[in-house]
Amino acid sequence: GNVVFELDDTEHVRIPQDDKALKIGASQDLFLVHDGNNSVIRNTTGDLYIQDNSAGSIFIQPVNNEGGITLVPNGTVQLAFDGNTKLATTSSGVEVTGNITMSGEATINGEQITLQGTQPRLRFIDTNHNSDFRIMVDEGKFKIQDTTNSDAERFNINSSGMITSLTLVSDPVSVIKISPSFKFLVAT
């Protein structure tokens, strides 16, 4: 007959046929099987734990020697795309490398959002075909721009705190532009 199970001369346990499982436990709740195309580890009772008690890391690799998921004891968990870490937990939160694309709403509980770069910007894009806006810092100036209208500058403050431009539109015909020579008088 066919060999269903063998211990070979290198002391390896072999199941030389596809679709035959190595079943473990009194009720055979954990099994390992290869169907000729895919390999499966299945647990049918309780939780499945993968542990390393040697203080080493655990690696889940999509292909040999390419990072996928790395779990470091008492440290980071890293998720990779094509071997490059894109998300990593830290003692203070998470670090993301690359862009974040999301749908829905985001709630940020904290006191500060920091945007860092040569021209840090925050862009607001609506989907109803109205004007879109960008808030940015560029060459020491704080700017609000209308990105729908060729990046028209609607508001600028220079590094001295002076308003260098402000465009107010009260209706489609009337435009008020304030230049550096314009002065406000405030009565109290």
Side-chain angles (χ1 to χ4, degrees):
N2 291 336
V3 174
V4 177
F5 170 85
E6 69 182 11
L7 181 63
D8 67 20
D9 58 355
T10 60
E11 298 181 0
H12 291 282
V13 174
R14 293 184 61 232
I15 301 174
Q17 296 177 1
D18 291 334
D19 292 318
K20 302 298 180 193
L22 173 61
K23 297 181 179 182
I24 301 170
S27 299
Q28 300 178 350
D29 299 325
L30 175 66
F31 72 90
L32 175 65
V33 65
H34 180 74
D35 66 9
N37 295 309
N38 301 296
S39 298
V40 177
I41 300 172
R42 182 173 297 143
N43 178 47
T44 60
T45 303
D47 297 321
L48 175 65
Y49 291 86
I50 300 172
Q51 297 178 341
D52 181 326
N53 290 331
S54 70
S57 297
I58 295 174
F59 301 94
I60 299 174
Q61 299 177 328
V63 296
N64 192 28
N65 294 322
E66 179 176 282
I69 301 172
T70 303
L71 299 100
V72 177
N74 302 310
T76 187
V77 173
Q78 299 172 348
L79 300 177
F81 177 83
D82 197 21
N84 299 303
T85 299
K86 296 298 178 179
L87 186 132
T89 60
T90 68
S91 61
S92 61
V94 334
E95 290 181 1
V96 176
T97 303
N99 298 327
I100 299 174
T101 302
M102 58 184 268
S103 62
E105 297 181 9
T107 301
I108 300 170
N109 294 319
E111 297 179 6
Q112 179 172 302
I113 297 174
T114 302
L115 303 175
Q116 185 173 338
T118 57
Q119 292 181 325
R121 67 198 82 166
L122 187 59
R123 188 162 184 195
F124 299 89
I125 302 173
D126 62 26
T127 56
N128 62 0
H129 308 294
N130 292 328
S131 293
D132 300 324
F133 291 91
R134 172 174 50 219
I135 299 172
M136 66 183 297
V137 175
D138 183 25
E139 297 177 355
K141 296 177 187 170
F142 175 81
K143 300 178 179 182
I144 298 178
Q145 296 177 324
D146 181 347
T147 58
T148 307
N149 293 302
S150 302
D151 294 339
E153 294 184 354
R154 301 298 185 208
F155 182 69
N156 283 346
I157 300 177
N158 68 16
S159 60
S160 299
M162 295 179 60
I163 297 173
T164 57
S165 70
L166 171 63
T167 303
L168 304 172
V169 179
S170 58
D171 60 56
V173 178
S174 304
V175 175
I176 301 169
K177 287 194 175 187
I178 298 173
S179 65
S181 61
F182 185 87
K183 294 182 180 177
F184 286 100
L185 295 176
V186 178
T188 58

PDB file of all heavy atoms in Angstrom, residues 54-70:
ATOM      1  N   SER A  54      12.480  32.186  23.436  1.00  0.00           N
ATOM      2  CA  SER A  54      13.932  32.308  23.451  1.00  0.00           C
ATOM      3  C   SER A  54      14.384  33.757  23.441  1.00  0.00           C
ATOM      4  O   SER A  54      15.563  34.036  23.301  1.00  0.00           O
ATOM      5  CB  SER A  54      14.534  31.604  22.226  1.00  0.00           C
ATOM      6  OG  SER A  54      14.209  32.337  21.054  1.00  0.00           O
ATOM      7  N   ALA A  55      13.466  34.719  23.543  1.00  0.00           N
ATOM      8  CA  ALA A  55      13.743  36.157  23.473  1.00  0.00           C
ATOM      9  C   ALA A  55      14.095  36.595  22.060  1.00  0.00           C
ATOM     10  O   ALA A  55      14.553  37.699  21.845  1.00  0.00           O
ATOM     11  CB  ALA A  55      14.829  36.576  24.458  1.00  0.00           C
ATOM     12  N   GLY A  56      13.871  35.728  21.085  1.00  0.00           N
ATOM     13  CA  GLY A  56      14.075  36.106  19.693  1.00  0.00           C
ATOM     14  C   GLY A  56      12.800  36.675  19.109  1.00  0.00           C
ATOM     15  O   GLY A  56      11.733  36.617  19.709  1.00  0.00           O
ATOM     16  N   SER A  57      12.902  37.253  17.933  1.00  0.00           N
ATOM     17  CA  SER A  57      11.748  37.843  17.253  1.00  0.00           C
ATOM     18  C   SER A  57      10.970  36.778  16.499  1.00  0.00           C
ATOM     19  O   SER A  57      11.475  35.691  16.227  1.00  0.00           O
ATOM     20  CB  SER A  57      12.206  38.926  16.280  1.00  0.00           C
ATOM     21  OG  SER A  57      12.827  39.981  16.975  1.00  0.00           O
ATOM     22  N   ILE A  58       9.732  37.104  16.152  1.00  0.00           N
ATOM     23  CA  ILE A  58       8.907  36.244  15.305  1.00  0.00           C
ATOM     24  C   ILE A  58       8.769  36.939  13.957  1.00  0.00           C
ATOM     25  O   ILE A  58       8.471  38.138  13.898  1.00  0.00           O
ATOM     26  CB  ILE A  58       7.523  35.997  15.937  1.00  0.00           C
ATOM     27  CG1 ILE A  58       7.691  35.209  17.239  1.00  0.00           C
ATOM     28  CG2 ILE A  58       6.604  35.256  14.965  1.00  0.00           C
ATOM     29  CD1 ILE A  58       6.404  35.031  18.024  1.00  0.00           C
ATOM     30  N   PHE A  59       8.985  36.202  12.888  1.00  0.00           N
ATOM     31  CA  PHE A  59       8.914  36.756  11.533  1.00  0.00           C
ATOM     32  C   PHE A  59       7.874  35.993  10.721  1.00  0.00           C
ATOM     33  O   PHE A  59       7.886  34.765  10.698  1.00  0.00           O
ATOM     34  CB  PHE A  59      10.271  36.629  10.818  1.00  0.00           C
ATOM     35  CG  PHE A  59      11.392  37.320  11.538  1.00  0.00           C
ATOM     36  CD1 PHE A  59      12.197  36.626  12.418  1.00  0.00           C
ATOM     37  CD2 PHE A  59      11.636  38.668  11.331  1.00  0.00           C
ATOM     38  CE1 PHE A  59      13.236  37.250  13.089  1.00  0.00           C
ATOM     39  CE2 PHE A  59      12.677  39.308  11.987  1.00  0.00           C
ATOM     40  CZ  PHE A  59      13.476  38.592  12.869  1.00  0.00           C
ATOM     41  N   ILE A  60       6.994  36.719  10.072  1.00  0.00           N
ATOM     42  CA  ILE A  60       6.076  36.129   9.098  1.00  0.00           C
ATOM     43  C   ILE A  60       6.475  36.728   7.763  1.00  0.00           C
ATOM     44  O   ILE A  60       6.400  37.948   7.572  1.00  0.00           O
ATOM     45  CB  ILE A  60       4.605  36.433   9.444  1.00  0.00           C
ATOM     46  CG1 ILE A  60       4.253  35.832  10.813  1.00  0.00           C
ATOM     47  CG2 ILE A  60       3.678  35.897   8.349  1.00  0.00           C
ATOM     48  CD1 ILE A  60       2.876  36.183  11.314  1.00  0.00           C
ATOM     49  N   GLN A  61       6.952  35.885   6.855  1.00  0.00           N
ATOM     50  CA  GLN A  61       7.492  36.357   5.589  1.00  0.00           C
ATOM     51  C   GLN A  61       6.641  35.854   4.424  1.00  0.00           C
ATOM     52  O   GLN A  61       6.391  34.655   4.327  1.00  0.00           O
ATOM     53  CB  GLN A  61       8.927  35.860   5.412  1.00  0.00           C
ATOM     54  CG  GLN A  61       9.869  36.359   6.488  1.00  0.00           C
ATOM     55  CD  GLN A  61      11.269  35.795   6.328  1.00  0.00           C
ATOM     56  OE1 GLN A  61      11.454  34.673   5.858  1.00  0.00           O
ATOM     57  NE2 GLN A  61      12.255  36.570   6.723  1.00  0.00           N
ATOM     58  N   PRO A  62       6.230  36.768   3.515  1.00  0.00           N
ATOM     59  CA  PRO A  62       5.454  36.329   2.361  1.00  0.00           C
ATOM     60  C   PRO A  62       6.279  35.477   1.393  1.00  0.00           C
ATOM     61  O   PRO A  62       5.740  34.590   0.740  1.00  0.00           O
ATOM     62  CB  PRO A  62       4.985  37.624   1.713  1.00  0.00           C
ATOM     63  CG  PRO A  62       5.904  38.675   2.219  1.00  0.00           C
ATOM     64  CD  PRO A  62       6.397  38.215   3.553  1.00  0.00           C
ATOM     65  N   VAL A  63       7.558  35.756   1.281  1.00  0.00           N
ATOM     66  CA  VAL A  63       8.503  34.922   0.537  1.00  0.00           C
ATOM     67  C   VAL A  63       9.779  34.859   1.360  1.00  0.00           C
ATOM     68  O   VAL A  63       9.999  35.668   2.258  1.00  0.00           O
ATOM     69  CB  VAL A  63       8.802  35.462  -0.892  1.00  0.00           C
ATOM     70  CG1 VAL A  63       7.559  35.446  -1.757  1.00  0.00           C
ATOM     71  CG2 VAL A  63       9.397  36.853  -0.857  1.00  0.00           C
ATOM     72  N   ASN A  64      10.653  33.921   1.047  1.00  0.00           N
ATOM     73  CA  ASN A  64      11.875  33.725   1.807  1.00  0.00           C
ATOM     74  C   ASN A  64      12.693  35.018   1.861  1.00  0.00           C
ATOM     75  O   ASN A  64      12.939  35.654   0.846  1.00  0.00           O
ATOM     76  CB  ASN A  64      12.696  32.593   1.170  1.00  0.00           C
ATOM     77  CG  ASN A  64      13.822  32.154   2.072  1.00  0.00           C
ATOM     78  OD1 ASN A  64      13.748  32.255   3.283  1.00  0.00           O
ATOM     79  ND2 ASN A  64      14.895  31.664   1.460  1.00  0.00           N
ATOM     80  N   ASN A  65      13.105  35.395   3.059  1.00  0.00           N
ATOM     81  CA  ASN A  65      13.965  36.554   3.306  1.00  0.00           C
ATOM     82  C   ASN A  65      13.353  37.895   2.934  1.00  0.00           C
ATOM     83  O   ASN A  65      14.075  38.849   2.677  1.00  0.00           O
ATOM     84  CB  ASN A  65      15.327  36.387   2.608  1.00  0.00           C
ATOM     85  CG  ASN A  65      16.123  35.249   3.195  1.00  0.00           C
ATOM     86  OD1 ASN A  65      16.106  35.039   4.408  1.00  0.00           O
ATOM     87  ND2 ASN A  65      16.796  34.493   2.356  1.00  0.00           N
ATOM     88  N   GLU A  66      12.029  37.997   2.869  1.00  0.00           N
ATOM     89  CA  GLU A  66      11.382  39.289   2.641  1.00  0.00           C
ATOM     90  C   GLU A  66      10.497  39.587   3.844  1.00  0.00           C
ATOM     91  O   GLU A  66       9.660  38.783   4.218  1.00  0.00           O
ATOM     92  CB  GLU A  66      10.540  39.295   1.374  1.00  0.00           C
ATOM     93  CG  GLU A  66       9.839  40.641   1.154  1.00  0.00           C
ATOM     94  CD  GLU A  66       9.084  40.689  -0.154  1.00  0.00           C
ATOM     95  OE1 GLU A  66       9.727  40.874  -1.199  1.00  0.00           O
ATOM     96  OE2 GLU A  66       7.852  40.537  -0.101  1.00  0.00           O
ATOM     97  N   GLY A  67      10.700  40.771   4.435  1.00  0.00           N
ATOM     98  CA  GLY A  67       9.928  41.155   5.605  1.00  0.00           C
ATOM     99  C   GLY A  67       8.444  41.246   5.307  1.00  0.00           C
ATOM    100  O   GLY A  67       8.038  41.673   4.227  1.00  0.00           O
ATOM    101  N   GLY A  68       7.642  40.842   6.237  1.00  0.00           N
ATOM    102  CA  GLY A  68       6.194  40.945   6.156  1.00  0.00           C
ATOM    103  C   GLY A  68       5.680  41.496   7.469  1.00  0.00           C
ATOM    104  O   GLY A  68       5.334  42.661   7.584  1.00  0.00           O
ATOM    105  N   ILE A  69       5.689  40.653   8.498  1.00  0.00           N
ATOM    106  CA  ILE A  69       5.324  41.058   9.855  1.00  0.00           C
ATOM    107  C   ILE A  69       6.468  40.626  10.772  1.00  0.00           C
ATOM    108  O   ILE A  69       6.897  39.473  10.733  1.00  0.00           O
ATOM    109  CB  ILE A  69       4.007  40.400  10.309  1.00  0.00           C
ATOM    110  CG1 ILE A  69       2.862  40.775   9.367  1.00  0.00           C
ATOM    111  CG2 ILE A  69       3.684  40.795  11.747  1.00  0.00           C
ATOM    112  CD1 ILE A  69       1.571  40.033   9.630  1.00  0.00           C
ATOM    113  N   THR A  70       6.953  41.563  11.570  1.00  0.00           N
ATOM    114  CA  THR A  70       8.009  41.268  12.524  1.00  0.00           C
ATOM    115  C   THR A  70       7.512  41.644  13.913  1.00  0.00           C
ATOM    116  O   THR A  70       7.019  42.751  14.107  1.00  0.00           O
ATOM    117  CB  THR A  70       9.298  42.058  12.201  1.00  0.00           C
ATOM    118  OG1 THR A  70       9.705  41.750  10.873  1.00  0.00           O
ATOM    119  CG2 THR A  70      10.409  41.720  13.173  1.00  0.00           C
TER     120      THR A  70
END
